[in-house]
């Protein structure tokens, strides 16, 4: 696997996707948001009206094409970047991602996508399953109140008013489901570096991780 591979894992709202996107931009690397892929499968399953509890119903994946291009995600060439952030997708994604068949399909895609080049990939099982030989593994955490506050502000920016208590509840439920599932649960890799971001700004986290990679950042504007 030529190139630098950076694996970033962590629970809901720990800032993985934002941080990973910024690192990719500054380093000139490719960012792969694996959560977006699980969300895309969930969206498609909901739209097809399949029984979400039935693993064999996900066979539709045999003939669907999910791909990633410059932080936009497509299902069968339809841009679903916005649609995958809906409440209904968020509420069902933990269930969908618990099926071994779905995981196998997406993990294969992710491994393939990371084969060449410098990659920063974020998710729940990147350091443990997808890129076990990554050059650097970071596990981002933050206390649940802080994570809920971030999600709350993100929603507000999109014009969505939510109740902070409800966001805390949703995040805690998803954490619980993701950490206790049988197949590839959210778990820190033994060789990962843990970074508690509760009291850190986004820039501080980005700088810290770039420092940890030991790689030189690309000059801005070049
Ligand atoms: O909302 P947040 O950005 O924290 O979540 P996400 O990264 O978009 O991931 C959505 C869901 O996909 C997670 O709650 C997991 O259930 C699932 N997921 C997974 O199982 N494995 C991954 N590598 C990434 C996401």
């Amino acid at each position: 696997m030529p190139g630098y591979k950076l694996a970033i894992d962590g629970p809901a709202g720990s800032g993985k996707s934002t941080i990973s996107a910024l690192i990719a931009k500054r380093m000139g690397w490719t960012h792969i948001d694996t959560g977006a892929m699980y969300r895309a499968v969930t969206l498609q399953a909901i739209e097809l009206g399949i029984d979400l509890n039935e693993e064999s119903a996900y066979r539709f994946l045999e003939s669907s094409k999910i791909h990633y291009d410059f932080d936009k995600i497509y299902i069968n060439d339809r841009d679903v970047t916005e649609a995958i952030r809906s409440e209904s997708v968020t509420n069902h994604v933990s269930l969908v991602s618990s099926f071994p068949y779905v995981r196998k399909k997406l993990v294969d895609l992710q491994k393939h996508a990371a084969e060449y080049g410098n990659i920063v990939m974020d998710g729940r099982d990147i350091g443990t399953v997808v890129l076990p030989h990554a050059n650097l593994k970071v596990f981002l955490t933050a206390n649940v109140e802080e994570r809920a506050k971030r999600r709350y502000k993100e929603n507000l920016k999109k014009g969505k008013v939510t109740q902070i208590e409800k966001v805390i509840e949703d995040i805690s439920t998803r954490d619980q489901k993701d950490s206790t599932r049988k197949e590839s649960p959210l778990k820190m890799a033994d060789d990962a570096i843990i970074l508690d971001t509760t009291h850190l700004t986004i820039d501080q986290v980005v700088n810290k991780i770039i420092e940890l990679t030991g790689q030189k950042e690309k000059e801005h504007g070049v």
Side-chain angles (χ1 to χ4, degrees), residues 130-168:
V130 185
L131 299 175
H133 304 298
N135 300 79
L136 176 67
K137 301 176 185 179
V138 177
F139 194 86
L140 291 182
T141 60
N143 67 34
V144 70
E145 287 79 14
E146 176 61 27
R147 291 190 278 126
K149 217 160 69 191
R150 292 174 187 169
R151 198 39 58 93
Y152 172 82
K153 284 191 193 154
E154 209 173 279
N155 288 344
L156 264 191
K157 261 199 211 151
K158 292 184 197 154
K160 215 172 102 190
V161 183
T162 33
Q163 278 205 312
I164 192 86
E165 293 76 16
K166 171 85 171 60
V167 186
I168 293 182

Side-chain angles (χ1 to χ4, degrees), residues 8-17 33-39 42 84-85 89-90 92-98 103 107 110 121-126 130 147 151 154 171 174-175 177-178 181 183-186:
I8 301 192
D9 289 298
S14 57
K16 300 174 305 283
S17 305
D33 174 351
T34 63
M37 293 181 169
Y38 288 95
R39 285 173 178 271
T42 307
I84 60 165
R85 303 286 155 194
V89 169
T90 302
H92 293 101
V93 65
S94 289
L95 167 67
V96 173
S97 62
S98 69
R103 299 206 73 83
V107 168
Q110 292 154 11
M121 190 179 270
D122 76 283
R124 302 289 191 287
D125 58 346
I126 311 306
V130 185
R147 291 190 278 126
R151 198 39 58 93
E154 209 173 279
I171 285 188
R174 205 138 56 88
D175 281 354
K177 283 188 194 157
D178 290 344
R181 68 172 175 230
E183 190 77 15
S184 313
L186 167 69

Side-chain angles (χ1 to χ4, degrees), residues 1-15:
M1 277 200 171
Y4 195 98
K5 315 294 171 194
L6 168 58
I8 301 192
D9 289 298
S14 57

